[in-house]
Amino acid sequence: MPSRSAAEIYERVPTQVFPGSAQAAAALAQEVADLIRTKNKAGKPAVLGLATGSTPVPFYRELIRLHKEEKLSFKNVITFNLDEYYGLDASHPESYARFMRDQLFDHIDIPVENINIPSGTVPGDQVFAHCRAYEERIDSAGGIDIQILGIGRTGHIGFNEPGSSRDSLTRRITLDRVTRQDAASDFRGEENVPRFAITMGVGTILRAKKLALMAWGENKAAVVAKALEGPVTEAVSASFLQEHADARFLIDQGAARELTRIKLPWLVGPVSWTPRETRRAVVWQSFHAKRTVLKLTDEDYNEHGLSDLLSEQGPAYQLNIRIFNQLQHTITGWPGGKPDADDTYRPERARPYPKRTLVFSPEPQDAVVGMGGTIDRLVEQGHDVRIVSLTSGSLRVADSEADKFASTLLELASTADTPAAWSHQTDYARDILHILEEKGEFGEDPPKLRRLKGLILRGELRDAAHALGISPDQVVILDLPFYEKGRYRRFKAADDDLAAVKQLLQDFKPHQIYATGDAADPSSVSAITFRLIESALRACEFEEWSSSCSFWVYRGKERPLEPHEIDMAVPMSPVQIERKARALSRYAALSSLEKDAPESNRQNARTYDTLGMAEYEAIESFHRWKRS
Ligand code: F6R
């Protein structure tokens, strides 16, 4: 473990921040491989405590690689999983037993008898005995050498929801509402997520000799900061790691975002005052002092740890004006550039005009959620806009939608004048209804059903695009293969995905690209497609169109951009926000966050207002992506 720097003084558990989850997972997998080899050399089994969910997926992929390419054997490894949903049997597609087989056990040489996972189907009256036996099995294996952990947004480790005590042991618990919301996409709706689970207790976890907690993406940033910098409390189970002698956090930059050393670096030491960092400090100061940027005083800066910034770039009056102007210059009603205007201080260049603009939407609803108003403006201002849905979005569509379609088709066929002419349609509809019945509520959708669901969403996208003035031939659906083969939180993109995105770019040769998805959760569809777009652009970097193509990042359902991150703010009139809301209403299955997009746009405008900028009804905001 590297020694801790002064910047880390707020963190009460040693924490390593990695550029991305892949690097962190590789480091941890190497450590586990070393542990297995050392223990095996001493003639002992290595005892691993394992977790499920999206977080450990890259870690398991790396363990599998070490097994296949570097002959790491798991013959003498014993595993204990943290938890299992209560009520699901081991073959259920969402059970953790099935997850572990799919993600790890089926790909390595671990003997089945060495695998331990709490049972999700033990009868109610035997739960207590089952849990006690689980504890005893851990002890008789010699205790857990290293426990791998993720963290839920409630701060849970295992399924130890808020309120779990320091000494709790393996037991049945009730899942928190937030945890069930987070699992909703896996189960196609929160109402299908089990209410209970069996989990190792906090006490069980703390008995492990070593603890390694991983967290990726901004969605985890707030709870990671609480667990690391807040008090030890039952309200955040992960905070108990502060009491363990050999615990650590391995996180990526997104998950580190709320740590004091990253968020308020001037409180922990000298800062190199880049333009972005300066803007962040001034904006923070404005919120903190509850005064507009232009009204901040030397005293405001001095009293809040920013005297250093002031001596470098002050006095306050000048610093304020400079940042005010920068913020002012982010605002434009011309996201595609204003033709024939001086564009020195405008976010987008004036020429060429009109522009070829590609708006990438990871799933069919994302672009409208994130930038419906801006699409509306781009179209109105005469640009050649294409909305590209990278995936079919079929996983979002409820069974009931497919059922509705098949039942209507069946009825149409049976009431037609010549039912015989409809025999193909009748067969198709019956087939769909049969598939729905066979697979039940949780079963995986076979390709035929996924195709239908994808088509249903395609229709909704066309409708929504139409509401923004985009004709059907300007809507492209790529149906990337990784999505069709995969499931939420476990997708894996491949070469054919990259080839499809690259081809699209080469065909269209855009002047402007809009995309989303780099930050909130690296396992999300948006993050995966974003990485594909980045790689595809890199592969085209020597093509003429590519060097001058601007790349704007919008936020879909995630946290909106903070003012210091905004490079382009597109104001929306009350009429435009209405039109965006109308376009959104064309989608049958929107999450509450997605439905709230117009409200979040209004909030952006209020934020700009608080800083002392002009008061708009709503704002959509963008970050300029610097290609790596
Ligand atoms: C899973 C587990 C949970 C998860 C946590 C994060 O075995 O114990 O604590 O680690 O809910 O889930 P993901 O990784 O899906 O964000």
Side-chain angles (χ1 to χ4, degrees):
M1 171 61 38
S3 65
R4 302 178 66 188
S5 74
E8 295 160 44
I9 49 172
Y10 285 86
E11 293 143 33
R12 300 183 182 150
V13 181
T15 301
Q16 290 170 279
V17 180
F18 292 83
S21 56
Q23 292 89 336
L28 186 58
Q30 192 53 55
E31 182 180 329
V32 168
D34 293 344
L35 173 92
I36 295 174
R37 289 190 175 117
T38 313
K39 290 217 78 172
N40 287 179
K41 243 184 228 149
K44 292 188 187 143
V47 185
L48 308 182
L50 299 179
T52 54
S54 56
T55 308
V57 169
F59 166 71
Y60 293 145
R61 285 186 185 147
E62 184 59 18
L63 284 184
I64 295 168
R65 191 193 69 75
L66 288 170
H67 169 67
K68 297 210 160 123
E69 293 175 17
E70 299 184 19
K71 300 196 168 44
L72 175 67
S73 172
F74 291 79
K75 285 226 164 79
N76 208 6
V77 169
I78 300 174
T79 63
F80 288 91
N81 262 83
L82 283 164
D83 40 21
E84 178 61 282
Y85 287 115
Y86 188 67
L88 304 193
D89 71 48
S91 64
H92 189 289
E94 291 308 328
S95 76
Y96 284 167
R98 168 84 181 269
F99 174 97
M100 289 308 300
R101 286 201 303 278
D102 290 351
Q103 297 299 320
L104 183 67
F105 297 147
D106 281 355
H107 312 280
I108 56 175
D109 59 346
I110 188 166
V112 202
E113 60 278 15
N114 289 6
I115 296 171
N116 298 280
I117 302 179
S119 160
T121 51
V122 59
D125 59 351
Q126 290 165 37
V127 168
F128 181 73
H130 178 72
C131 294
R132 201 169 47 191
Y134 202 68
E135 293 279 336
E136 284 166 6
R137 277 217 298 285
I138 295 175
D139 290 341
S140 57
I144 291 173
D145 291 313
I146 181 167
Q147 175 66 55
I148 306 300
L149 297 167
I151 181 170
R153 283 196 304 139
T154 58
H156 70 216
I157 44 175
F159 271 141
N160 291 286
E161 299 292 16
S164 301
S165 78
R166 157 83 178 70
D167 299 319
S168 52
L169 297 177
T170 305
R171 68 207 186 287
R172 182 170 54 181
I173 53 91
T174 305
L175 292 172
D176 190 277
R177 176 95 201 273
V178 174
T179 301
R180 296 183 64 236
Q181 280 168 354
D182 284 348
S185 65
D186 300 342
F187 286 88
R188 298 216 189 84
E190 195 183 319
E191 64 283 8
N192 300 324
V193 181
R195 292 185 178 277
F196 306 101
I198 293 188
T199 180
M200 280 187 198
V202 177
T204 324
I205 293 170
L206 293 180
R207 274 205 325 273
K209 290 163 202 145
K210 203 186 250 284
L211 303 177
L213 186 148
M214 295 181 280
W216 325 131
E218 289 185 356
N219 281 352
K220 297 286 172 72
V223 77
V224 162
K226 267 194 208 161
L228 278 173
E229 298 188 356
V232 176
T233 162
E234 288 180 359
V236 181
S237 298
S239 67
F240 286 114
L241 266 67
Q242 295 178 23
E243 296 186 344
H244 193 281
D246 192 359
R248 74 184 198 285
F249 279 48
L250 297 94
I251 60 181
D252 68 359
Q253 283 170 351
R257 191 187 159 87
E258 294 291 321
L259 296 181
T260 306
R261 65 164 139 150
I262 310 264
K263 195 176 168 193
L264 305 172
W266 50 89
L267 296 184
V268 299
V271 172
S272 128
W273 290 107
T274 59
R276 183 86 60 192
E277 210 58 34
T278 306
R279 209 199 296 180
R280 185 218 291 256
V282 175
V283 165
W284 177 80
Q285 183 57 50
S286 166
F287 286 133
H288 196 72
K290 298 195 175 58
R291 264 202 290 282
T292 62
V293 168
L294 289 176
K295 286 187 182 165
L296 294 173
T297 62
D298 286 348
E299 287 70 37
D300 286 327
Y301 287 103
N302 279 331
E303 280 165 20
H304 295 99
L306 288 165
S307 53
D308 175 29
L309 171 64
L310 207 57
S311 64
E312 211 177 280
Q313 303 188 31
Y317 178 71
Q318 268 167 14
L319 177 58
N320 296 347
I321 289 190
R322 200 152 41 78
I323 298 304
F324 178 86
N325 284 339
Q326 280 178 19
L327 289 166
Q328 181 68 30
H329 292 150
T330 61
I331 303 174
T332 181
W334 296 83
K338 188 170 186 180
D340 303 324
D342 174 3
D343 57 8
T344 319
Y345 295 112
R346 289 179 178 276
E348 183 54 273
R349 64 204 190 284
R351 296 262 147 210
Y353 177 83
K355 289 191 173 60
R356 285 192 299 272
T357 299
L358 270 188
V359 178
F360 281 112
S361 191
E363 288 184 310
Q365 77 291 349
D366 292 311
V368 182
V369 170
M371 53 175 290
T374 304
I375 296 175
D376 193 44
R377 275 195 189 261
L378 287 164
V379 173
E380 211 176 74
Q381 291 164 3
H383 299 286
D384 180 4
V385 183
R386 298 292 146 91
I387 300 187
V388 182
S389 178
L390 289 146
T391 68
S392 71
S394 59
L395 291 170
R396 295 178 60 87
V397 179
D399 285 354
S400 55
E401 293 293 314
D403 186 301
K404 191 159 71 187
F405 174 84
S407 305
T408 310
L409 184 59
L410 206 54
E411 197 169 344
L412 208 56
S414 64
T415 54
D417 288 343
T418 50
W422 286 70
S423 67
H424 285 317
Q425 288 84 339
T426 308
D427 290 348
Y428 176 81
R430 287 215 179 100
D431 208 10
I432 292 291
L433 293 174
H434 179 70
I435 291 173
L436 285 169
E437 201 178 311
E438 278 282 287
K439 79 173 190 77
E441 225 169 349
F442 303 120
E444 272 167 63
D445 292 356
K448 195 165 188 172
L449 182 56
R450 284 187 84 157
R451 171 140 176 79
L452 171 59
K453 288 184 169 182
L455 288 175
I456 292 174
L457 210 45
R458 192 174 288 223
E460 292 178 2
L461 168 60
R462 272 197 300 260
D463 258 12
H466 180 71
L468 299 173
I470 301 240
S471 62
D473 54 321
Q474 290 172 288
V475 176
V476 180
I477 306 211
L478 269 193
D479 279 344
L480 287 181
F482 86 87
Y483 186 91
E484 296 312 310
K485 288 185 287 213
R487 337 222 333 238
Y488 280 122
R489 308 211 273 180
R490 301 172 214 174
F491 294 114
K492 195 175 178 192
D495 289 349
D496 47 356
D497 299 299
L498 182 59
V501 179
K502 191 173 156 205
Q503 189 62 55
L504 180 97
L505 287 171
Q506 287 174 325
D507 289 346
F508 191 64
K509 300 186 179 37
H511 299 116
Q512 236 198 351
I513 289 176
Y514 291 86
T516 186
D518 59 311
D521 170 4
S523 71
S524 65
V525 178
S526 352
I528 292 170
T529 50
F530 190 82
R531 290 196 291 269
L532 281 170
I533 297 167
E534 255 199 309
S535 309
L537 270 174
R538 215 173 301 128
C540 300
E541 70 184 330
F542 297 115
E543 297 181 25
E544 206 186 319
W545 61 268
S546 163
S547 53
S548 61
C549 175
S550 48
F551 188 171
W552 295 103
V553 179
Y554 64 93
R555 290 291 165 104
K557 41 193 173 279
E558 309 90 6
R559 167 190 77 75
L561 292 169
E562 289 180 30
H564 71 275
E565 300 169 304
I566 296 177
D567 294 310
M568 178 159 74
V570 181
M572 294 156 83
S573 66
V575 174
Q576 278 170 325
I577 198 103
E578 271 303 306
R579 215 171 312 160
K580 172 168 178 174
R582 214 171 319 127
L584 280 173
S585 71
R586 307 299 154 96
Y587 293 104
L590 288 186
S591 69
S592 49
L593 273 176
E594 290 164 341
K595 279 189 202 135
D596 282 350
E599 185 42 37
S600 157
N601 299 147
R602 286 195 179 95
Q603 182 53 44
N604 284 342
R606 286 194 286 271
T607 303
Y608 259 46
D609 183 27
T610 311
L611 293 169
M613 318 310 293
E615 198 176 336
Y616 290 101
E617 173 71 12
I619 286 180
E620 285 177 344
S621 50
F622 302 85
H623 180 70
R624 188 193 306 279
W625 190 251
K626 302 255 178 359
R627 287 181 245 170
S628 47

